[in-house]
Amino acid sequence: MNLVSPTLRPATPAGTPNLPAVVAGGDAIPAIRQYLRIALRWRYVIIGSVVACAILGLVITLLMTPKFTAAATIEISREASQVTNFQGVERETSVADQEFYQTQYGLLRSRVLAERVAAQLRLVDNKAFYKQFGVDQDNPAFREVNGRYVPAGRAERQRIAGEILIKNVAVEPTRLSRLVAIKFTSAGAVFSQKVANAWAENFIQTNLERKVQATSYGRNLLQRELGQAKERLDESQRQLVTYAEQQRIINLPAQGSGENQTAERSIVADELASLNAALSQATADRIQAEARFREAGRAGSSAEALRNQAINMLRQRRAEAAADYQKLMVQFEPDYPPARALQSQIDQLDRSIAREESRVSGSVQAEYRQAAERENGLRQRVEGLKSNYLDLRRRSIQYNIYQQEVDTNRALYDGLLQRFKEIGVAGGVGVNNVAIVDPADVPQKPSSPRMLINLAIALLAGLAIGGGLAFALEQMDEAIADPSEVERRLGLPLLGSVPKVEGVAPRDALLDRKSDLVDAYLAIQTSLAFTTEHGVPRSLAVTSTRPAEGKSTTALALATMLARAHKTVILVDGDMRSPSVHHLGGVDHDRGLSNYLAGQEDIGQLTFEMQDLGLTAMSAGPIPPNAAELLTGHRLQQLVAKLLETFDHVVIDSPPVMGLADAPLIASRVEGVVYAVESHGIRSSIVKTALQRLLLANAHILGGVLTKFEARKAHYGYGYEYGYGYGRDKG
């Protein structure tokens, strides 16, 4: 919290160093040093917590029942050994699929597995088992009849037994391997071994059963799908046959088998193909017959006639007869009878040749007409079949749709049937991907309690609790413990710290120039010398938050130190409500500050000398009805001015700030204020409030003095201890 805002900071005199009266806060303490400071301050709290936790941990460890842990090791493979080439319905796990192993670890901790182990080991109705694990017998499930549990609560007891086993079992996978340790802990070594081994065996059994169940489920599902596919196939076949009967579509069965199998062919298509082939052959025959016919039109030159054997024989006989006739004509006349006979024979042969040639020509013509007629008949039949085939094609569109549906249903049915057979074979093999590597042995020594580990945990817990308590106490503690907190918490420049002295009066301690009290105030005087350009402020007031914080001792000590520095000093008792300076001088307070403030001008009658300390003092004077009214006027300012004409320094022992208006009034009339703060005596929040009042009065706070400081109670030591003390300060 920033104690002073820039608008409230009192202005320093001209020519003085820029040393703020109140700073916003000291330099930030490193976190490690701050924690170390807290630990050192509350070391006894931390040590007490550690010791208490250590004792508690030791007692608990000694009272704990020894427990034994048995471990069985199993191996979980990603893929089971493939006995057949058939695959089950479960998805194969990839190498990088870590979900597989996490699933297996979860199955090892499943409730069903625990209840199965409990049932196998007959723990459900075992009274000793429940007693060993401290199960509450008030549950209705544990009601007994004739010394035995009632059957009605068996399901509840089995659930409770499974929960007990799950709480005491541990599944510990071995890193970067497929090995898993199943550990069970109980008060009985043999019992732990039985449970660990039973757990591993039942996990393997459940794994196998799960695979069989998955395969059985797949088989049942495929069986239902097969039934539905069979119904769809039969229905589609009935639709196909019915439509074929209605449309008079007759197809021949498929030819060939396997990859060479062809689709069904209709009779019309086959007949059209056959007639079309016959038409092509008839056309070729007709063209050939036509060529022979046209060639036969040229008489004597027909190829058929040339190939005819009878015509060739007749022509040969005619040629012989003609040769004989020509021989006779050499000697005889045409009228020669043998010559006429030969001529008659030749004529007869010519007529026979002509008749044979005519017969051959008629045969070629008849063959041509027959070929042409056959071609025309086949062509008419083919044209008719073409019309029938086109009509069949139109009527076969829906038929083909039905046929495709039949083929699809048949393919689906065949695939499901094949898959059904494969699953049946794969499900009957019973492969497993879990194997027991090391069965559990009977543990030879307890696994818990472990004395050293428990003590270490207790020490750590005590350290944590102690640290938490120390931190909480530090947050709640607002006391100013050591000099560094004056600047850190209050925002005041530290002028010095004053040790707490006991067994000696402050005045006597000041008379001993070798005392630690004198050394401390000499250091404070030195610090004050740097607050202004002219050294120690000529007029200053010493105040505190509340009474008995050491402000009067500080005022007396500062006046004494200045006097020993060969300065003329006057100590003014400004606390007119509870005066104390007159006690130090051994005089009464019949005359003093209140007299001057009331109007008396003779200052010499109001002062007295303190020869042993070398200074002059002014008591508070008679206690007025209202001291604040006297301080409100300008008389105090005149007094300070007159005293500075005679003395080098004026030190005023001011009243406390809280609850009174006197201190702000006095602080506004002097050059600077020294603020006394009691170590471990007041909360910092109250001091901040008091400082804020002084700042509102435009007071120039030179710095703070930590009084009654004990190094042994501080957050950290300062290298020495103060050994003196002083009595109760009234001021």
Side-chain angles (χ1 to χ4, degrees):
M1 174 181 177
N2 191 358
L3 189 60
V4 181
S5 61
T7 58
L8 297 178
R9 188 180 303 281
T12 57
T16 60
N18 189 18
L19 180 63
V22 180
V23 296
D27 295 336
I29 301 176
I32 296 179
R33 287 187 58 192
Q34 187 174 0
Y35 294 147
L36 181 60
R37 177 180 58 79
I38 295 174
L40 290 175
R41 181 179 181 186
W42 303 102
R43 56 188 177 274
Y44 296 113
V45 175
I46 298 175
I47 293 174
S49 298
V50 171
V51 172
C53 288
I55 295 175
L56 182 61
L58 179 61
V59 172
I60 293 176
T61 301
L62 295 176
L63 294 178
M64 289 177 63
T65 302
K67 292 187 177 181
F68 298 85
T69 300
T73 304
I74 62 174
E75 178 188 9
I76 302 177
S77 302
R78 289 191 180 95
E79 297 179 357
S81 301
Q82 294 292 335
V83 179
T84 66
N85 291 327
F86 301 124
Q87 298 178 351
V89 297
E90 292 184 325
R91 178 181 63 88
E92 293 185 359
T93 309
S94 63
V95 175
D97 193 2
Q98 294 300 323
E99 295 180 359
F100 170 76
Y101 283 109
Q102 296 300 325
T103 302
Q104 298 300 312
Y105 304 152
L107 293 175
L108 279 169
R109 301 185 184 94
S110 63
R111 176 182 56 83
V112 174
L113 180 59
E115 294 180 0
R116 178 168 179 161
V117 172
Q120 179 184 354
L121 298 179
R122 299 180 180 179
L123 304 177
V124 179
D125 298 324
N126 192 333
K127 297 181 182 179
F129 169 72
Y130 297 109
K131 184 178 180 181
Q132 176 183 350
F133 291 96
V135 178
D136 185 12
Q137 298 291 322
D138 295 336
N139 192 312
F142 296 99
R143 188 168 60 87
E144 297 183 18
V145 176
N146 297 327
R148 294 185 178 181
Y149 293 131
V150 294
R154 179 176 177 80
E156 179 66 15
R157 292 195 302 274
Q158 185 170 2
R159 182 188 64 80
I160 295 174
E163 292 177 353
I164 294 173
L165 294 180
I166 290 177
K167 290 179 181 178
N168 292 275
V169 75
V171 178
E172 299 180 0
T174 303
R175 192 171 181 270
L176 301 179
S177 72
R178 296 178 294 184
L179 301 179
V180 181
I182 303 174
K183 297 182 178 180
F184 186 81
T185 303
S186 69
V190 177
F191 179 73
S192 297
Q193 178 210 18
K194 290 182 179 179
V195 174
N197 288 331
W199 203 282
E201 294 170 359
N202 280 272
F203 178 69
I204 294 176
Q205 293 298 325
T206 55
N207 190 44
L208 286 173
E209 292 174 2
R210 193 163 49 252
K211 290 179 179 294
V212 172
Q213 289 175 359
T215 305
S216 300
Y217 175 79
R219 291 187 62 187
N220 294 335
L221 179 62
L222 286 177
Q223 192 170 8
R224 291 195 298 270
E225 293 292 335
L226 275 173
Q228 297 175 1
K230 184 67 168 59
E231 293 178 0
R232 290 194 296 269
L233 177 60
D234 294 342
E235 180 64 23
S236 61
Q237 288 178 339
R238 282 192 294 269
Q239 290 179 351
L240 178 65
V241 172
T242 301
Y243 183 80
E245 291 178 355
Q246 292 175 354
Q247 300 296 328
R248 306 293 297 173
I249 298 175
I250 302 174
N251 291 334
L252 297 176
Q255 299 177 355
S257 60
E259 296 180 355
N260 296 326
Q261 183 176 356
T262 59
E264 292 183 350
R265 294 172 56 86
S266 65
I267 294 179
V268 176
D270 281 355
E271 184 179 0
L272 177 61
S274 300
L275 289 178
N276 191 49
L279 175 61
S280 299
Q281 183 63 39
T283 302
D285 294 343
R286 190 266 306 168
I287 294 174
Q288 186 177 6
E290 184 179 4
R292 289 196 301 270
F293 173 72
R294 293 183 183 280
E295 184 179 2
R298 298 187 295 272
S301 62
S302 172
E304 292 292 332
L306 294 177
R307 289 192 298 269
N308 191 280
Q309 186 176 4
I311 294 175
N312 289 334
M313 290 178 63
L314 291 173
R315 285 178 178 176
Q316 184 177 3
R317 289 174 59 188
R318 182 184 181 286
E320 292 176 352
D324 292 338
Y325 180 76
Q326 291 296 332
K327 288 179 179 180
L328 290 177
M329 288 293 103
V330 173
Q331 296 178 358
F332 301 99
E333 289 293 332
D335 294 332
Y336 182 65
R340 286 199 301 271
L342 288 173
Q343 184 64 42
S344 176
Q345 186 179 358
I346 291 172
D347 293 338
Q348 183 64 35
L349 289 172
D350 288 337
R351 287 191 296 271
S352 298
I353 290 172
R355 284 195 303 272
E356 287 295 329
E357 289 181 349
S358 176
R359 186 182 63 78
V360 169
S361 177
S363 175
V364 171
Q365 183 178 7
E367 184 180 354
Y368 168 68
R369 286 196 299 270
Q370 183 180 3
E373 290 176 357
R374 182 170 178 270
E375 179 187 9
N376 292 332
L378 288 174
R379 190 178 302 279
Q380 293 176 0
R381 180 60 179 165
V382 166
E383 293 297 329
L385 286 177
K386 285 182 179 180
S387 300
N388 295 337
Y389 181 73
L390 292 176
D391 181 64
L392 178 64
R393 289 286 299 274
R394 287 191 297 270
R395 288 183 288 115
S396 297
I397 294 176
Q398 185 63 37
Y399 178 85
N400 292 334
I401 294 175
Y402 288 145
Q403 183 65 51
Q404 290 176 359
E405 185 175 358
V406 169
D407 295 340
T408 301
N409 292 335
R410 181 178 288 110
L412 179 60
Y413 176 78
D414 292 341
L416 291 175
L417 182 60
Q418 180 65 23
R419 184 59 173 164
F420 179 77
K421 294 178 181 179
E422 292 177 358
I423 292 178
V425 175
V429 174
V431 295
N432 190 25
N433 62 329
V434 182
I436 297 178
V437 178
D438 288 326
D441 294 330
V442 178
Q444 301 300 318
K445 59 181 180 179
S447 59
S448 66
R450 296 182 179 179
M451 179 68 71
L452 295 180
I453 294 178
N454 289 353
L455 288 180
I457 294 174
L459 291 176
L460 291 177
L463 188 61
I465 294 173
L469 289 176
F471 186 77
L473 292 174
E474 179 69 17
Q475 296 298 317
M476 293 186 294
D477 185 19
E478 295 185 2
I480 307 300
D482 55 50
S484 64
E485 293 187 347
V486 173
E487 187 170 351
R488 181 172 60 87
R489 290 193 177 189
L490 304 180
L492 285 178
L494 179 65
L495 298 177
S497 58
V498 180
K500 183 177 182 180
V501 294
E502 296 178 349
V504 61
R507 180 187 178 93
D508 297 335
L510 291 173
L511 291 175
D512 183 6
R513 299 197 178 193
K514 296 182 180 180
S515 65
D516 294 334
L517 192 65
V518 172
D519 291 337
Y521 280 111
L522 281 174
I524 295 173
Q525 177 189 351
T526 303
S527 299
L528 286 173
F530 295 101
T531 58
T532 64
E533 288 185 352
H534 55 271
V536 179
R538 297 196 63 195
S539 63
L540 58 89
V542 180
T543 186
S544 62
T545 305
R546 56 179 177 78
E549 287 195 68
K551 64 176 182 58
S552 297
T553 301
T554 300
L556 176 63
L558 289 176
T560 302
M561 296 304 107
L562 291 173
R564 290 177 182 174
H566 306 291
K567 303 290 185 178
T568 56
V569 183
I570 182 171
L571 175 63
V572 179
D573 190 352
D575 191 355
M576 292 179 288
R577 301 174 186 269
S578 179
S580 60
V581 173
H582 64 281
H583 294 296
L584 300 176
V587 299
D588 55 28
H589 58 90
D590 293 339
R591 297 183 305 274
L593 177 61
S594 61
N595 297 104
Y596 183 82
L597 295 178
Q600 184 176 345
E601 296 292 340
D602 188 2
I603 297 177
Q605 296 180 359
L606 306 178
T607 62
F608 61 93
E609 299 293 330
M610 299 179 67
Q611 298 295 335
D612 51 353
L613 298 178
L615 55 87
T616 303
M618 176 185 291
S619 68
I623 299 176
N626 192 334
E629 292 181 358
L630 294 178
L631 295 172
T632 304
H634 61 279
R635 295 286 293 175
L636 178 60
Q637 187 174 1
Q638 291 178 356
L639 175 62
V640 173
K642 287 183 178 181
L643 292 176
L644 289 177
E645 294 175 358
T646 306
F647 299 94
D648 295 328
H649 298 281
V650 177
V651 179
I652 301 177
D653 181 10
S654 174
V657 178
M658 293 304 293
L660 302 175
D662 301 4
L665 293 173
I666 295 175
S668 63
R669 301 294 190 267
V670 295
E671 188 175 353
V673 177
V674 175
Y675 203 91
V677 180
E678 182 183 1
S679 176
H680 290 94
I682 190 168
R683 294 182 303 182
S684 59
S685 59
I686 300 177
V687 179
K688 291 178 182 179
T689 303
L691 290 173
Q692 191 68 26
R693 289 192 62 193
L694 293 179
L695 292 173
L696 292 175
N698 201 27
H700 181 202
I701 303 176
L702 301 174
V705 175
L706 185 65
T707 63
K708 303 180 183 180
F709 173 62
E710 297 180 78
R712 59 185 177 84
K713 293 184 179 180
H715 296 170
Y716 49 88
Y718 285 81
Y720 62 93
E721 295 250 353
Y722 297 108
Y724 294 92
Y726 62 123
R728 181 179 182 274
D729 191 348
K730 292 179 61 180

